[in-house]
Amino acid sequence: MAHRKLDMGLAWTQATGLIGANRDTIGAIAGLFFFLPSLASALLVPELGNPPQPAPAGADPQAAMRAMMDQMSATYAANWPLLLALVAAQFVGSMSLFALLTDRGNPTVGEALRTGLASTPSYLAAQVIAVLGGALAIGIPLGVISALGGAAVAVLAVVAAMVMIVYVMVKLSLAAPVIAIEGSRNPFAALGRSWQLTKGNSLRIALFIALLLLVIGIIAALVTGVLALVLAALGDTAATIGGGIVNALVNTLLTVVFLVVTVAIYRQLAAASPERAAELFE
């Protein structure tokens, strides 16, 4: 059976429409689960937003890389409880936002939060399954090929691995809305459903997301850069607090746009699937 091709223009129109129609409820969830955790991370663990400076000219690149990795590892080791809590909050917020934008009924923020909490364990399990499965299916064979084929083959293997990882990420990108919106709590079933929904549209979805991230990333970089210059003129304290607020706002906007676009893609492809068609006529 032929699968409906994703209409990228329609997906963007639907995404902006969803944001406009639900801006208050989206703002409440985004502020609580994305903005505040991002701001807390920027203010409480500023090392994450200020990575180590590059090594001076003439320094050993390998030693500089090891020092940079050691510093980052020490930062994560010292702050892992806080960082884990912030990541968990963002996971719950993502699933709550998906639940809020369901096309089934009109859930309140409280109902969306309950659904988000209930669906987060399944989403985490799906993520673990995807990572472990990808490591076994992609990493091990390519690692063996790299070890046996020499330097040139190793480079090609790395490129092939990156392509395969992106492909798998696209194929499994709709697992979260499947879990939150369709109520599928079986992570294997959710991953399989995402794989089926994206069939015939993997390249379109990857291209759409890449273009979206490129455009929004450029705009965000320009805005952040200009505001950083303004804040730097106000002193170190103002620059630190103001920079944290700006970065948190930018990260929140990027996250919300990405999640809502994912919902728009899911809605369009799910509406064309035979399972949803049968459900609509029950």
Side-chain angles (χ1 to χ4, degrees), residues 12 46-47 51 59 71 79 115 143 157 185 206 208-209 215 239:
W12 176 248
E47 297 87 351
Q71 183 174 340
N79 298 279
T115 300
R185 296 294 184 261
F208 183 32
I209 297 300
V215 173

Side-chain angles (χ1 to χ4, degrees), residues 31-213:
L32 180 62
F33 291 102
F34 303 141
F35 176 76
L36 290 180
S38 183
L39 180 59
S41 176
L43 297 181
L44 299 178
V45 193
E47 297 87 351
L48 295 180
N50 298 283
Q53 296 298 316
D60 182 2
Q62 293 185 349
M65 180 61 67
R66 284 196 300 270
M68 185 181 299
M69 295 301 296
D70 290 343
Q71 183 174 340
M72 294 301 295
S73 297
T75 299
Y76 281 106
N79 298 279
W80 71 264
L82 172 63
L83 297 177
L84 182 62
L86 297 179
V87 170
Q90 292 178 340
F91 269 51
V92 173
S94 298
M95 300 307 287
S96 299
L97 187 59
F98 286 136
L100 179 71
L101 299 179
T102 179
D103 54 352
R104 303 174 179 183
N106 188 25
T108 63
V109 172
E111 292 170 341
L113 291 178
R114 286 192 291 271
T115 300
L117 284 170
S119 58
T120 295
S122 297
Y123 178 55
L124 290 174
Q127 292 285 84
V128 171
I129 292 168
V131 170
L132 293 178
L136 293 174
I138 299 174
I140 293 178
L142 290 177
V144 173
I145 294 173
S146 300
L148 299 177
V153 174
V155 172
L156 292 176
V158 170
V159 173
M162 293 176 64
V163 172
M164 289 299 298
I165 289 171
V166 171
Y167 175 74
V168 172
M169 289 174 62
V170 170
K171 295 298 294 181
L172 303 181
S173 61
L174 300 184
V178 166
I179 293 171
I181 296 175
E182 296 186 8
S184 176
R185 296 294 184 261
N186 184 329
F188 291 99
L191 293 171
R193 171 72 168 152
S194 176
W195 197 281
Q196 182 269 329
L197 286 174
T198 56
K199 186 175 182 180
N201 284 288
S202 301
L203 182 58
R204 287 173 176 262
I205 294 173
L207 179 61
F208 183 32
I209 297 300
L211 290 174
L212 183 66
L213 292 178

Side-chain angles (χ1 to χ4, degrees), residues 1 103-104 182 193 196-197 267-282:
M1 184 188 70
D103 54 352
R104 303 174 179 183
E182 296 186 8
R193 171 72 168 152
Q196 182 269 329
L197 286 174
R267 282 191 173 195
Q268 189 177 143
L269 298 182
S273 68
E275 293 87 348
R276 176 56 67 89
E279 179 184 305
L280 292 174
F281 287 100
E282 285 181 351

Side-chain angles (χ1 to χ4, degrees), residues 5-31:
K5 294 299 183 181
L6 175 69
D7 185 332
M8 292 185 281
L10 177 60
W12 176 248
T13 300
Q14 290 175 333
T16 54
L18 286 171
I19 293 175
N22 301 276
R23 57 183 177 275
D24 292 336
T25 49
I26 289 177
I29 291 177

